[in-house]
Amino acid sequence: MDNLKEYINKNLESFNDQELPEGHQERFEARLADAYSATSGKNPVIRHSIWWSVGIAAALAAIFFIGRPDTNEPTQIIESNKDWFAGIGNDQFEICNAYYGKVAEFYETMLKTDPEGEMENAIDMVIDETIPLIDQLPEEMEPEARAAVLKEYYSNLLDGLDRIKNIK
């Protein structure tokens, strides 16, 4: 894959030897205007981001309030001291593989203790990623910084799964 990318970068001029069809600018602007008006004047990317943020907020709220007693006592949030990625360096692929492996372990453990599958929706709400975080991080970001963001984000999700697992 790297060889293909390198070949394309070295020979970029040979790929860009054709002119765009006449009227392409007008057709593009018309399609953009149609997409903009179809979303009631709202930018579709922003609208999608808002719903994604609402989904994350709902998942976090579910983590903190599932199993809360009916008393007026405040819910105690337990800080996790687990290092979910101990021994894993800054390789982003290894971080993601470790995360998915730990999620699979949670599924296996939790579904054994919950044969009716009542917890499955809660698990899915926590781990569901429409677009994986690794694909959302900017390429310009240093690999160590990308790794740190992935570890923190996935650690928080694993902490949430751990809390759900410990609900009695």
Side-chain angles (χ1 to χ4, degrees), residues 85 88 91-101 134 150 154:
F85 299 101
I88 297 176
D91 185 285
Q92 298 161 39
F93 181 73
E94 286 182 26
I95 293 168
C96 291
N97 275 342
Y99 166 71
Y100 292 123
I134 195 166
L150 289 169
Y154 288 134

Side-chain angles (χ1 to χ4, degrees), residues 138-156:
E139 292 291 327
E140 301 82 27
M141 200 173 188
E142 293 293 320
E144 294 81 16
R146 290 172 61 97
V149 169
L150 289 169
K151 285 181 179 180
E152 181 180 353
Y153 177 74
Y154 288 134
S155 289
N156 288 335

Side-chain angles (χ1 to χ4, degrees), residues 4 6-10 14-15 37 40 42 49 54 68 84 87 89 97 102 110 117 119 132 135 142 145 149 153 167:
L4 178 62
E6 184 178 325
Y7 174 78
I8 292 171
N9 286 335
K10 284 183 179 178
S14 64
F15 291 105
S37 65
S40 304
K42 295 179 182 169
S49 298
V54 169
R68 183 177 177 182
W84 296 102
N97 275 342
K102 292 178 189 320
M110 293 168 75
M119 300 300 272
D135 293 337
E142 293 293 320
V149 169
Y153 177 74
I167 293 173

Side-chain angles (χ1 to χ4, degrees), residues 125-136:
M125 284 178 26
V126 172
I127 65 168
D128 186 37
E129 290 182 297
T130 303
I131 302 171
L133 179 63
I134 195 166
D135 293 337
Q136 297 180 49

